[in-house]
Amino acid sequence: MPADPLHRAGEPQRSTTSQPPRGSGASAIEVRRSARRRRTVSAYREGDRTVVLIPARMSKAEEQRWVTLMLDKLAAQESKRVLGDAALAERAERLSAQYFDGRARPASVRWVTNQNTRWGSCTPAEGSIRLSHRLQGMPEYVVDYVLCHELAHLLVPGHGPDFWRLLEAYPRTERARGYLEGVVAAARLPHVPGARDEQET
């Protein structure tokens, strides 16, 4: 987000507290706005509260987007478990049974390190699914979304209306897409927010 053109270093922080989205794992979220904070966003746990630090001039819509992104980022960092290829294949099998009546049957599912512009890929003719290693450590619902996306490609190769109708079976599609869009947007910032980075700029 752009830097604040005008700010006063001595201006106090403004703080608001709200209930978190379902499934965030925290009992309350405290958003602290600071005029000294120009472009960085950070978050940390304080007991059962999550504190999110944002620039004072950030809009309410930007605040909501960043709060969701930072909650997910914290959850991902706190969940250190990374699925191996075998566990990933088992997860894909469970997702296929749950959302596609078991019709999507991949021959192989594995992590790869050569996909830096895509989150996942699928070769329907071979039944192979590959997920980018960049997804490792992200929230489970995001990994599940990418798996479901690629499983759907085993049934419908393109991205036409039939494909998107099929993918609607996964209930967290929109949230996962929003999370991934936020990751891409954050990567374009001069300073990528860190979950425990409280450095003012």
Side-chain angles (χ1 to χ4, degrees):
M1 63 170 289
D4 292 338
L6 301 171
H7 66 283
R8 288 177 291 184
E11 186 175 327
Q13 293 185 341
R14 287 180 293 141
S15 177
T16 58
T17 302
S18 63
Q19 292 304 310
R22 282 180 297 177
S24 68
S27 63
I29 302 160
E30 182 179 344
V31 177
R32 296 178 186 167
R33 290 174 173 264
S34 171
R36 291 183 296 139
R37 182 175 288 269
R38 292 184 286 179
R39 64 171 73 88
T40 60
V41 178
S42 62
Y44 60 92
R45 303 285 194 208
E46 195 173 78
D48 64 352
R49 178 185 304 270
T50 301
V51 178
V52 182
L53 307 172
I54 65 173
R57 293 179 182 258
M58 185 176 280
S59 71
K60 289 302 280 185
E62 288 174 313
E63 174 185 322
Q64 185 175 6
R65 183 172 68 85
W66 277 106
V67 165
T68 299
L69 179 64
M70 297 309 285
L71 286 173
D72 285 339
K73 187 178 178 79
L74 279 175
Q77 289 177 344
E78 291 165 355
S79 174
K80 300 291 186 185
R81 185 169 60 91
V82 175
L83 296 173
D85 287 351
L88 195 64
E90 289 175 11
R91 193 181 198 102
E93 188 177 333
R94 285 198 310 272
L95 290 168
S96 176
Q98 187 172 357
Y99 299 112
F100 306 119
D101 298 321
R103 293 181 296 127
R105 297 178 182 172
S108 66
V109 183
R110 61 191 175 92
W111 297 107
V112 294
T113 57
N114 61 352
Q115 288 191 157
N116 294 315
T117 59
R118 293 184 293 179
W119 297 112
S121 62
C122 172
T123 306
E126 299 173 1
S128 61
I129 290 175
R130 297 162 299 280
L131 263 57
S132 171
H133 72 288
R134 295 180 300 146
L135 290 164
Q136 292 176 342
M138 289 190 186
E140 290 184 355
Y141 76 89
V142 176
V143 176
D144 285 353
Y145 162 72
V146 178
L147 277 172
C148 283
H149 186 108
E150 303 309 331
L151 286 167
H153 275 313
L154 292 178
L155 304 173
V156 181
H159 285 103
D162 289 345
F163 171 83
W164 293 111
R165 272 195 295 272
L166 190 62
L167 197 54
E168 283 174 3
Y170 182 64
R172 305 185 82 178
T173 289
E174 287 307 313
R175 186 175 182 202
R177 284 170 60 86
Y179 179 93
L180 292 172
E181 287 168 5
V183 169
V184 171
R188 296 188 183 125
L189 288 175
H191 172 80
V192 178
R196 291 193 178 272
D197 175 14
E198 298 177 60
Q199 182 69 36
E200 299 278 357
T201 61

